[in-house]
Amino acid sequence: MYAYDEHTLILRQNKAVHFEAPFLFLLFGAERAVLIDTGATASPEYFPLRATVDGLIDQWLAAHPREGYRLVVLHTHGHGDHKAGDPQFADRPDTELVQADRDSVYAFLGLTEDPTATVPLDLGGGRVLNCFAIPGHHAASVAFHDPHTGILLTGDTVYPGRLYVEGASAAPPAASARATSSTPRWSPARPS
C-alpha cells in the first residue's frame, strides 16, 4: 500500500497471488470513501481485500472521527481482474457495491450516452471526482479524475503496454478520445 497523501491510498495486488497484479485505489472524502476496483482474486484467504480495506478505513476514521461513514465500491471497467474481489464486500455494512456492468455503472453515476459528459461523484468535504465514460476497452469503462490529487484513473484504457479495444461499433474511438482530451491534465502540484 502506498499513501499518496492521507486521503488517497494506492493498493496493488501481489503478483504471487495473480499475475495481473492490478492497482486499486481507496479515496477518502468527509462523508464517504470510494474503492475503485477490487482486484483479480475472489478468495479472502489469498487476497484479504476487505480486511485490508476495513483496517485502512478504521485507521483513517481514528484520525478523522465521524459517524455513519460509508464505502462505495466502483470499477474502472468490468473485466474479471478489476472486479473479482467484489463478493468480499457484498455483505459489508454501510457499503454500496456497484456492479461492473454498463447499466449499473451509468445508473449509479448518472452517465448518459453523451461521450463528452462529465458527472460528479461527491465524497464530501470538497472532494468531488469527475467521472466520464470512456468506452472502448470495455462497454462499462469509466475514468475518474480526482482534482484533489490531479490523478486520472483509467483502468486498462490508458497504460504503457498492449491495449485491447472492443469492436468499433461498441465504442467509437473518437468519442473516447474527445472525452479524455476534455479532462483536466494531471499536474504534479499537490493541493494545499
Side-chain angles (χ1 to χ4, degrees):
M1 191 277 303
Y2 172 74
Y4 181 84
D5 63 31
E6 69 177 313
H7 310 293
T8 309
L9 306 180
I10 303 170
L11 298 87
R12 186 164 195 196
Q13 187 168 349
N14 189 324
K15 287 184 180 183
V17 174
H18 196 281
F19 73 95
E20 293 275 359
F23 289 94
L24 320 172
F25 304 89
L26 184 59
L27 311 177
F28 294 96
E31 297 169 13
R32 61 184 173 171
V34 62
L35 175 64
I36 300 175
D37 290 338
T38 62
T41 303
S43 170
E45 179 183 356
Y46 294 105
F47 183 51
L49 180 60
R50 178 172 165 183
T52 300
V53 168
D54 284 349
L56 293 170
I57 290 173
D58 288 346
Q59 288 176 10
W60 189 87
L61 286 172
H64 308 278
R66 61 204 67 230
E67 294 294 321
Y69 200 69
R70 301 191 50 77
L71 174 66
V72 175
V73 179
L74 285 164
H75 310 86
T76 55
H77 65 288
H79 287 156
D81 59 319
H82 293 260
K83 67 176 188 172
D86 284 7
Q88 294 185 41
F89 295 90
D91 63 350
R92 185 183 185 277
D94 300 316
T95 299
E96 183 149 13
L97 173 59
V98 180
Q99 296 304 309
D101 63 275
R102 184 184 177 281
D103 290 343
S104 298
V105 173
Y106 276 43
F108 179 81
L109 292 174
L111 290 168
T112 66
E113 296 297 322
D114 180 359
T116 63
T118 301
V119 298
L121 177 62
D122 191 347
L123 303 180
R127 192 168 198 181
V128 179
L129 304 182
N130 301 313
C131 311
F132 55 94
I134 52 171
H137 180 71
H138 185 273
S141 290
V142 175
F144 301 91
H145 175 252
D146 179 17
H148 172 78
T149 60
I151 294 173
L152 176 65
L153 305 174
T154 62
D156 293 345
T157 300
V158 178
Y159 67 89
R162 187 172 182 176
L163 302 177
Y164 297 90
V165 178
E166 292 181 0
S169 63
S176 287
R178 272 195 312 276
T180 304
S181 68
S182 67
T183 301
R185 297 290 179 231
W186 178 84
S187 168
R190 307 266 306 263
S192 55

